[in-house]
Short mmCIF file of all heavy atoms in Angstrom, two decimals:
data_model
loop_
_atom_site.label_atom_id
_atom_site.label_comp_id
_atom_site.label_asym_id
_atom_site.label_seq_id
_atom_site.Cartn_x
_atom_site.Cartn_y
_atom_site.Cartn_z
N MET A 1 103.72 37.40 35.90
CA MET A 1 103.72 37.92 37.27
C MET A 1 105.16 38.22 37.71
O MET A 1 106.09 37.64 37.17
CB MET A 1 103.07 36.83 38.20
CG MET A 1 102.75 37.31 39.55
SD MET A 1 101.91 36.09 40.53
CE MET A 1 100.60 37.08 41.18
N LYS A 2 105.34 39.11 38.63
CA LYS A 2 106.63 39.54 39.03
C LYS A 2 107.27 38.59 40.04
O LYS A 2 106.59 37.78 40.69
CB LYS A 2 106.55 40.93 39.56
CG LYS A 2 106.08 41.94 38.53
CD LYS A 2 106.15 43.34 39.02
CE LYS A 2 105.63 44.24 37.89
NZ LYS A 2 105.69 45.59 38.20
N THR A 3 108.53 38.73 40.20
CA THR A 3 109.31 37.80 41.09
C THR A 3 108.95 37.93 42.57
O THR A 3 108.84 36.95 43.26
CB THR A 3 110.79 38.05 40.93
OG1 THR A 3 111.12 38.02 39.53
CG2 THR A 3 111.66 37.04 41.63
N GLY A 4 108.83 39.17 43.05
CA GLY A 4 108.60 39.45 44.45
C GLY A 4 107.33 38.72 45.04
O GLY A 4 107.44 38.00 46.02
N PRO A 5 106.20 38.94 44.43
CA PRO A 5 104.92 38.31 44.99
C PRO A 5 104.96 36.78 44.91
O PRO A 5 104.48 36.07 45.82
CB PRO A 5 103.82 38.81 44.11
CG PRO A 5 104.37 40.12 43.57
CD PRO A 5 105.82 39.97 43.44
N ILE A 6 105.56 36.21 43.81
CA ILE A 6 105.69 34.76 43.76
C ILE A 6 106.53 34.19 44.87
O ILE A 6 106.19 33.22 45.55
CB ILE A 6 106.23 34.36 42.38
CG1 ILE A 6 105.27 34.64 41.28
CG2 ILE A 6 106.60 32.82 42.36
CD1 ILE A 6 105.77 34.45 39.88
N LEU A 7 107.69 34.83 45.15
CA LEU A 7 108.54 34.37 46.19
C LEU A 7 107.90 34.56 47.55
O LEU A 7 108.07 33.71 48.43
CB LEU A 7 109.89 35.14 46.15
CG LEU A 7 110.92 34.69 45.14
CD1 LEU A 7 112.11 35.63 45.11
CD2 LEU A 7 111.34 33.30 45.34
N PHE A 8 107.14 35.65 47.74
CA PHE A 8 106.47 35.89 48.99
C PHE A 8 105.46 34.79 49.31
O PHE A 8 105.42 34.26 50.39
CB PHE A 8 105.80 37.27 48.97
CG PHE A 8 105.13 37.59 50.25
CD1 PHE A 8 105.82 38.04 51.33
CD2 PHE A 8 103.76 37.47 50.37
CE1 PHE A 8 105.23 38.32 52.53
CE2 PHE A 8 103.09 37.78 51.57
CZ PHE A 8 103.80 38.23 52.66
N ILE A 9 104.59 34.48 48.35
CA ILE A 9 103.56 33.48 48.58
C ILE A 9 104.17 32.11 48.80
O ILE A 9 103.79 31.37 49.74
CB ILE A 9 102.58 33.46 47.35
CG1 ILE A 9 101.83 34.77 47.28
CG2 ILE A 9 101.65 32.31 47.41
CD1 ILE A 9 101.02 35.02 46.02
N THR A 10 105.17 31.76 47.96
CA THR A 10 105.84 30.44 48.12
C THR A 10 106.52 30.37 49.47
O THR A 10 106.44 29.34 50.16
CB THR A 10 106.79 30.25 46.99
OG1 THR A 10 106.14 30.42 45.72
CG2 THR A 10 107.40 28.83 47.07
N GLY A 11 107.22 31.40 49.84
CA GLY A 11 107.94 31.42 51.11
C GLY A 11 107.03 31.36 52.31
O GLY A 11 107.29 30.63 53.31
N LEU A 12 105.93 32.06 52.21
CA LEU A 12 104.91 32.00 53.29
C LEU A 12 104.35 30.64 53.45
O LEU A 12 104.22 30.13 54.58
CB LEU A 12 103.84 33.08 53.07
CG LEU A 12 102.81 33.24 54.18
CD1 LEU A 12 103.47 33.73 55.45
CD2 LEU A 12 101.74 34.21 53.73
N LEU A 13 104.01 29.98 52.33
CA LEU A 13 103.43 28.61 52.41
C LEU A 13 104.47 27.61 52.97
O LEU A 13 104.10 26.78 53.78
CB LEU A 13 102.96 28.17 51.07
CG LEU A 13 101.72 28.92 50.53
CD1 LEU A 13 101.39 28.50 49.09
CD2 LEU A 13 100.48 28.63 51.41
N LEU A 14 105.72 27.73 52.52
CA LEU A 14 106.72 26.83 53.02
C LEU A 14 106.96 27.06 54.56
O LEU A 14 107.14 26.11 55.31
CB LEU A 14 108.04 27.04 52.28
CG LEU A 14 108.17 26.34 50.95
CD1 LEU A 14 109.53 26.70 50.30
CD2 LEU A 14 108.11 24.84 51.13
N PHE A 15 106.94 28.32 54.96
CA PHE A 15 107.16 28.64 56.34
C PHE A 15 106.04 28.07 57.22
O PHE A 15 106.29 27.44 58.26
CB PHE A 15 107.26 30.18 56.51
CG PHE A 15 107.60 30.61 57.90
CD1 PHE A 15 108.90 30.42 58.39
CD2 PHE A 15 106.66 31.25 58.68
CE1 PHE A 15 109.20 30.83 59.64
CE2 PHE A 15 107.01 31.67 59.96
CZ PHE A 15 108.28 31.45 60.46
N MET A 16 104.82 28.25 56.76
CA MET A 16 103.68 27.75 57.55
C MET A 16 103.65 26.20 57.51
O MET A 16 103.36 25.56 58.55
CB MET A 16 102.35 28.34 56.95
CG MET A 16 102.23 29.77 57.21
SD MET A 16 100.86 30.57 56.33
CE MET A 16 99.50 29.74 57.03
N LEU A 17 104.00 25.59 56.40
CA LEU A 17 104.06 24.13 56.34
C LEU A 17 105.19 23.59 57.30
O LEU A 17 104.98 22.60 57.87
CB LEU A 17 104.28 23.68 54.92
CG LEU A 17 104.36 22.17 54.63
CD1 LEU A 17 103.02 21.54 54.96
CD2 LEU A 17 104.79 21.89 53.22
N GLY A 18 106.27 24.29 57.29
CA GLY A 18 107.40 23.91 58.19
C GLY A 18 107.01 23.98 59.64
O GLY A 18 107.39 23.10 60.46
N ILE A 19 106.29 24.98 60.04
CA ILE A 19 105.80 25.10 61.43
C ILE A 19 104.84 23.96 61.77
O ILE A 19 104.98 23.37 62.82
CB ILE A 19 105.12 26.47 61.62
CG1 ILE A 19 106.17 27.56 61.61
CG2 ILE A 19 104.38 26.50 62.98
CD1 ILE A 19 105.55 28.97 61.68
N TYR A 20 103.96 23.62 60.84
CA TYR A 20 103.01 22.52 61.07
C TYR A 20 103.77 21.16 61.17
O TYR A 20 103.50 20.37 62.04
CB TYR A 20 102.00 22.50 59.98
CG TYR A 20 100.99 21.37 60.09
CD1 TYR A 20 100.03 21.36 61.10
CD2 TYR A 20 101.13 20.24 59.27
CE1 TYR A 20 99.15 20.31 61.21
CE2 TYR A 20 100.24 19.17 59.40
CZ TYR A 20 99.29 19.24 60.37
OH TYR A 20 98.40 18.16 60.48
N LEU A 21 104.67 20.94 60.23
CA LEU A 21 105.43 19.66 60.22
C LEU A 21 106.38 19.52 61.41
O LEU A 21 106.73 18.44 61.74
CB LEU A 21 106.15 19.48 58.88
CG LEU A 21 105.32 19.09 57.72
CD1 LEU A 21 106.19 18.98 56.48
CD2 LEU A 21 104.58 17.79 57.96
N SER A 22 106.83 20.61 61.95
CA SER A 22 107.80 20.56 63.03
C SER A 22 107.18 19.91 64.31
O SER A 22 107.92 19.47 65.17
CB SER A 22 108.36 21.88 63.35
OG SER A 22 107.37 22.72 63.91
N THR A 23 105.85 19.81 64.38
CA THR A 23 105.22 19.15 65.51
C THR A 23 105.31 17.65 65.36
O THR A 23 105.25 16.95 66.37
CB THR A 23 103.76 19.56 65.61
OG1 THR A 23 103.06 19.20 64.46
CG2 THR A 23 103.62 21.03 65.90
N TYR A 24 105.45 17.13 64.13
CA TYR A 24 105.58 15.69 63.88
C TYR A 24 106.99 15.28 63.57
O TYR A 24 107.52 14.35 64.14
CB TYR A 24 104.65 15.31 62.71
CG TYR A 24 103.20 15.60 63.00
CD1 TYR A 24 102.56 16.65 62.33
CD2 TYR A 24 102.49 14.91 63.94
CE1 TYR A 24 101.26 16.94 62.59
CE2 TYR A 24 101.15 15.20 64.22
CZ TYR A 24 100.53 16.24 63.54
OH TYR A 24 99.24 16.52 63.82
N ILE A 25 107.60 15.95 62.60
CA ILE A 25 109.02 15.61 62.17
C ILE A 25 109.83 16.89 62.34
O ILE A 25 109.72 17.80 61.47
CB ILE A 25 109.00 15.16 60.74
CG1 ILE A 25 108.03 13.99 60.51
CG2 ILE A 25 110.45 14.68 60.34
CD1 ILE A 25 107.79 13.63 59.05
N ALA A 26 110.58 16.97 63.40
CA ALA A 26 111.23 18.23 63.75
C ALA A 26 112.26 18.66 62.66
O ALA A 26 112.29 19.84 62.29
CB ALA A 26 111.87 18.13 65.11
N SER A 27 113.07 17.74 62.23
CA SER A 27 114.16 18.14 61.31
C SER A 27 113.61 18.67 59.98
O SER A 27 114.09 19.65 59.43
CB SER A 27 115.13 17.00 61.08
OG SER A 27 114.45 15.86 60.57
N LEU A 28 112.60 17.96 59.45
CA LEU A 28 112.00 18.36 58.19
C LEU A 28 111.29 19.69 58.37
O LEU A 28 111.36 20.60 57.48
CB LEU A 28 111.04 17.33 57.69
CG LEU A 28 110.39 17.60 56.31
CD1 LEU A 28 111.41 17.71 55.22
CD2 LEU A 28 109.37 16.52 56.02
N GLY A 29 110.57 19.86 59.45
CA GLY A 29 109.90 21.14 59.71
C GLY A 29 110.82 22.32 59.80
O GLY A 29 110.50 23.42 59.34
N VAL A 30 111.91 22.08 60.50
CA VAL A 30 112.88 23.19 60.67
C VAL A 30 113.49 23.55 59.33
O VAL A 30 113.66 24.75 59.01
CB VAL A 30 114.01 22.73 61.67
CG1 VAL A 30 115.20 23.71 61.62
CG2 VAL A 30 113.42 22.71 63.04
N LEU A 31 113.82 22.53 58.51
CA LEU A 31 114.40 22.88 57.14
C LEU A 31 113.41 23.65 56.31
O LEU A 31 113.76 24.62 55.63
CB LEU A 31 114.81 21.59 56.46
CG LEU A 31 116.04 20.85 57.02
CD1 LEU A 31 116.25 19.54 56.33
CD2 LEU A 31 117.26 21.77 56.89
N LEU A 32 112.17 23.27 56.31
CA LEU A 32 111.20 23.98 55.54
C LEU A 32 110.94 25.40 56.05
O LEU A 32 110.75 26.36 55.30
CB LEU A 32 109.84 23.20 55.52
CG LEU A 32 109.81 21.96 54.60
CD1 LEU A 32 108.50 21.22 54.75
CD2 LEU A 32 110.04 22.33 53.19
N SER A 33 110.93 25.54 57.37
CA SER A 33 110.71 26.85 57.95
C SER A 33 111.84 27.79 57.65
O SER A 33 111.64 28.96 57.30
CB SER A 33 110.58 26.76 59.47
OG SER A 33 109.40 26.05 59.81
N VAL A 34 113.08 27.24 57.73
CA VAL A 34 114.25 28.10 57.43
C VAL A 34 114.28 28.51 55.95
O VAL A 34 114.51 29.66 55.56
CB VAL A 34 115.56 27.41 57.80
CG1 VAL A 34 116.76 28.11 57.25
CG2 VAL A 34 115.64 27.30 59.31
N GLY A 35 113.96 27.53 55.07
CA GLY A 35 113.91 27.84 53.62
C GLY A 35 112.77 28.85 53.28
O GLY A 35 112.97 29.74 52.48
N GLY A 36 111.61 28.66 53.91
CA GLY A 36 110.53 29.60 53.74
C GLY A 36 110.86 31.04 54.22
O GLY A 36 110.48 31.99 53.62
N GLY A 37 111.51 31.04 55.38
CA GLY A 37 111.91 32.36 55.91
C GLY A 37 112.93 33.08 55.04
O GLY A 37 112.90 34.28 54.83
N MET A 38 113.84 32.31 54.45
CA MET A 38 114.80 32.94 53.55
C MET A 38 114.12 33.43 52.27
O MET A 38 114.45 34.48 51.75
CB MET A 38 115.87 31.89 53.16
CG MET A 38 116.82 31.58 54.33
SD MET A 38 117.97 30.29 53.95
CE MET A 38 119.05 31.08 52.83
N MET A 39 113.10 32.67 51.75
CA MET A 39 112.38 33.13 50.57
C MET A 39 111.59 34.41 50.90
O MET A 39 111.47 35.30 50.04
CB MET A 39 111.44 32.04 50.09
CG MET A 39 112.12 30.91 49.43
SD MET A 39 110.97 29.68 48.86
CE MET A 39 110.81 30.19 47.14
N LEU A 40 111.05 34.50 52.14
CA LEU A 40 110.33 35.74 52.49
C LEU A 40 111.30 36.93 52.53
O LEU A 40 110.91 38.02 52.14
CB LEU A 40 109.67 35.55 53.90
CG LEU A 40 108.40 34.69 53.94
CD1 LEU A 40 107.94 34.41 55.37
CD2 LEU A 40 107.29 35.42 53.18
N GLY A 41 112.48 36.68 53.03
CA GLY A 41 113.48 37.75 53.08
C GLY A 41 113.90 38.19 51.72
O GLY A 41 114.01 39.42 51.44
N VAL A 42 114.10 37.27 50.82
CA VAL A 42 114.49 37.65 49.45
C VAL A 42 113.31 38.37 48.74
O VAL A 42 113.55 39.36 48.00
CB VAL A 42 114.91 36.37 48.63
CG1 VAL A 42 115.05 36.67 47.17
CG2 VAL A 42 116.17 35.82 49.18
N SER A 43 112.10 37.92 48.94
CA SER A 43 110.95 38.59 48.36
C SER A 43 110.81 40.00 48.84
O SER A 43 110.41 40.92 48.07
CB SER A 43 109.69 37.82 48.56
OG SER A 43 109.25 37.90 49.90
N SER A 44 111.06 40.27 50.10
CA SER A 44 110.95 41.61 50.59
C SER A 44 112.04 42.51 49.98
O SER A 44 111.82 43.69 49.76
CB SER A 44 111.08 41.64 52.10
OG SER A 44 112.38 41.25 52.54
N TYR A 45 113.19 41.92 49.63
CA TYR A 45 114.23 42.69 48.93
C TYR A 45 113.72 43.14 47.55
O TYR A 45 113.85 44.23 47.15
CB TYR A 45 115.50 41.89 48.83
CG TYR A 45 116.55 42.56 47.91
CD1 TYR A 45 117.31 43.59 48.36
CD2 TYR A 45 116.71 42.06 46.63
CE1 TYR A 45 118.20 44.20 47.50
CE2 TYR A 45 117.63 42.62 45.76
CZ TYR A 45 118.36 43.70 46.18
OH TYR A 45 119.29 44.26 45.37
N PHE A 46 113.12 42.12 46.82
CA PHE A 46 112.71 42.44 45.47
C PHE A 46 111.53 43.42 45.50
O PHE A 46 111.40 44.27 44.67
CB PHE A 46 112.27 41.18 44.77
CG PHE A 46 113.43 40.37 44.19
CD1 PHE A 46 113.62 39.07 44.62
CD2 PHE A 46 114.24 40.89 43.26
CE1 PHE A 46 114.70 38.36 44.17
CE2 PHE A 46 115.32 40.20 42.74
CZ PHE A 46 115.53 38.90 43.21
N MET A 47 110.64 43.27 46.49
CA MET A 47 109.51 44.22 46.54
C MET A 47 109.96 45.63 46.95
O MET A 47 109.44 46.60 46.50
CB MET A 47 108.46 43.73 47.56
CG MET A 47 107.68 42.61 47.08
SD MET A 47 106.51 42.07 48.35
CE MET A 47 105.71 40.76 47.56
N GLY A 48 111.00 45.70 47.78
CA GLY A 48 111.52 47.01 48.23
C GLY A 48 112.27 47.75 47.21
O GLY A 48 112.36 48.99 47.19
N THR A 49 113.00 47.02 46.29
CA THR A 49 113.83 47.68 45.30
C THR A 49 113.04 48.09 44.06
O THR A 49 113.58 48.76 43.20
CB THR A 49 114.98 46.78 44.94
OG1 THR A 49 114.49 45.56 44.43
CG2 THR A 49 115.95 46.57 46.06
N HIS A 50 111.78 47.63 43.98
CA HIS A 50 110.94 48.02 42.83
C HIS A 50 110.57 49.44 42.97
O HIS A 50 109.87 49.83 43.90
CB HIS A 50 109.73 47.10 42.71
CG HIS A 50 108.82 47.49 41.58
ND1 HIS A 50 109.13 47.32 40.30
CD2 HIS A 50 107.63 48.09 41.60
CE1 HIS A 50 108.17 47.75 39.54
NE2 HIS A 50 107.19 48.23 40.35
N GLN A 51 111.06 50.29 42.06
CA GLN A 51 110.79 51.70 42.15
C GLN A 51 109.93 52.19 40.97
O GLN A 51 110.07 51.69 39.85
CB GLN A 51 112.07 52.47 42.20
CG GLN A 51 112.95 52.18 43.39
CD GLN A 51 114.24 52.96 43.36
OE1 GLN A 51 114.53 53.64 42.42
NE2 GLN A 51 115.04 52.79 44.37
N VAL A 52 109.11 53.13 41.27
CA VAL A 52 108.29 53.70 40.22
C VAL A 52 109.16 54.73 39.44
O VAL A 52 109.94 55.42 40.05
CB VAL A 52 107.06 54.45 40.81
CG1 VAL A 52 106.22 55.07 39.75
CG2 VAL A 52 106.27 53.44 41.69
N LYS A 53 108.98 54.74 38.16
CA LYS A 53 109.77 55.70 37.37
C LYS A 53 109.42 57.14 37.76
O LYS A 53 108.23 57.48 37.97
CB LYS A 53 109.41 55.50 35.89
CG LYS A 53 109.95 54.20 35.33
CD LYS A 53 109.66 54.15 33.85
CE LYS A 53 110.10 52.79 33.28
NZ LYS A 53 109.79 52.67 31.85
N GLN A 54 110.44 57.95 37.92
CA GLN A 54 110.19 59.34 38.33
C GLN A 54 109.68 60.16 37.16
O GLN A 54 110.14 60.03 36.05
CB GLN A 54 111.50 59.96 38.85
CG GLN A 54 111.98 59.26 40.12
CD GLN A 54 113.25 59.94 40.65
OE1 GLN A 54 113.83 60.79 39.98
NE2 GLN A 54 113.70 59.52 41.81
N ARG A 55 108.77 61.02 37.48
CA ARG A 55 108.22 61.92 36.45
C ARG A 55 109.11 63.11 36.26
O ARG A 55 109.79 63.57 37.18
CB ARG A 55 106.81 62.38 36.83
CG ARG A 55 105.80 61.27 36.97
CD ARG A 55 104.50 61.80 37.39
NE ARG A 55 103.55 60.70 37.68
CZ ARG A 55 102.35 60.90 38.19
NH1 ARG A 55 101.92 62.14 38.48
NH2 ARG A 55 101.55 59.89 38.39
N LYS A 56 109.08 63.59 35.03
CA LYS A 56 109.85 64.79 34.78
C LYS A 56 109.14 65.99 35.37
O LYS A 56 107.94 66.16 35.15
CB LYS A 56 110.03 64.99 33.29
CG LYS A 56 110.95 63.96 32.64
CD LYS A 56 111.08 64.19 31.14
CE LYS A 56 112.01 63.18 30.57
NZ LYS A 56 112.21 63.36 29.11
N ARG A 57 109.84 66.83 36.04
CA ARG A 57 109.19 68.01 36.67
C ARG A 57 109.12 69.15 35.60
O ARG A 57 110.07 69.37 34.86
CB ARG A 57 109.98 68.48 37.87
CG ARG A 57 109.98 67.51 38.98
CD ARG A 57 110.58 68.07 40.23
NE ARG A 57 110.48 67.14 41.30
CZ ARG A 57 110.83 67.43 42.50
NH1 ARG A 57 111.29 68.62 42.84
NH2 ARG A 57 110.76 66.48 43.47
N VAL A 58 108.00 69.79 35.58
CA VAL A 58 107.81 70.86 34.67
C VAL A 58 108.22 72.14 35.38
O VAL A 58 107.75 72.44 36.49
CB VAL A 58 106.34 70.99 34.24
CG1 VAL A 58 106.10 72.17 33.32
CG2 VAL A 58 105.88 69.70 33.56
N LYS A 59 109.10 72.91 34.73
CA LYS A 59 109.57 74.16 35.32
C LYS A 59 108.49 75.21 35.13
O LYS A 59 108.04 75.47 34.02
CB LYS A 59 110.85 74.68 34.71
CG LYS A 59 112.00 73.74 35.01
CD LYS A 59 113.28 74.24 34.38
CE LYS A 59 114.45 73.34 34.67
NZ LYS A 59 115.67 73.78 34.06
N ARG A 60 108.03 75.82 36.25
CA ARG A 60 107.04 76.83 36.16
C ARG A 60 107.73 78.20 36.43
O ARG A 60 108.56 78.32 37.33
CB ARG A 60 105.96 76.62 37.17
CG ARG A 60 105.22 75.32 36.88
CD ARG A 60 104.08 75.16 37.84
NE ARG A 60 103.41 73.91 37.53
CZ ARG A 60 102.27 73.54 38.08
NH1 ARG A 60 101.66 74.30 38.89
NH2 ARG A 60 101.74 72.38 37.73
N PRO A 61 107.32 79.23 35.65
CA PRO A 61 107.96 80.54 35.82
C PRO A 61 107.52 81.22 37.07
O PRO A 61 106.67 80.97 37.79
CB PRO A 61 107.49 81.34 34.59
CG PRO A 61 106.35 80.56 34.01
CD PRO A 61 106.38 79.16 34.54
#
């Protein structure tokens, strides 16, 4: 599997877990939310830079 989707899913789960935990333990919830948000940002970079190979154009007369 590629790096982007793995980071996205992991970051999303950490972010959501951090939001839930912040209602009980604020400091731990904030740390998990910030870490998950950073992982979401990195995954969007990897997904955005993935480019499809360009096809060679055929010259038509």
Side-chain angles (χ1 to χ4, degrees):
M1 192 175 227
K2 298 187 180 183
T3 307
I6 291 173
L7 283 174
F8 181 80
I9 292 169
T10 307
L12 185 63
L13 290 174
L14 278 176
F15 186 70
M16 292 170 63
L17 180 66
I19 289 173
Y20 176 74
L21 283 179
S22 67
T23 60
Y24 300 108
I25 306 169
S27 58
L28 182 61
V30 167
L31 288 174
L32 286 175
S33 293
V34 169
M38 290 174 71
M39 288 180 96
L40 284 171
V42 169
S43 71
S44 66
Y45 169 77
F46 281 119
M47 288 180 178
T49 56
H50 178 70
Q51 296 178 357
V52 179
K53 293 181 181 178
Q54 294 181 354
R55 298 179 186 173
K56 292 182 181 178
R57 293 188 179 187
V58 178
K59 293 182 181 178
R60 296 184 181 190

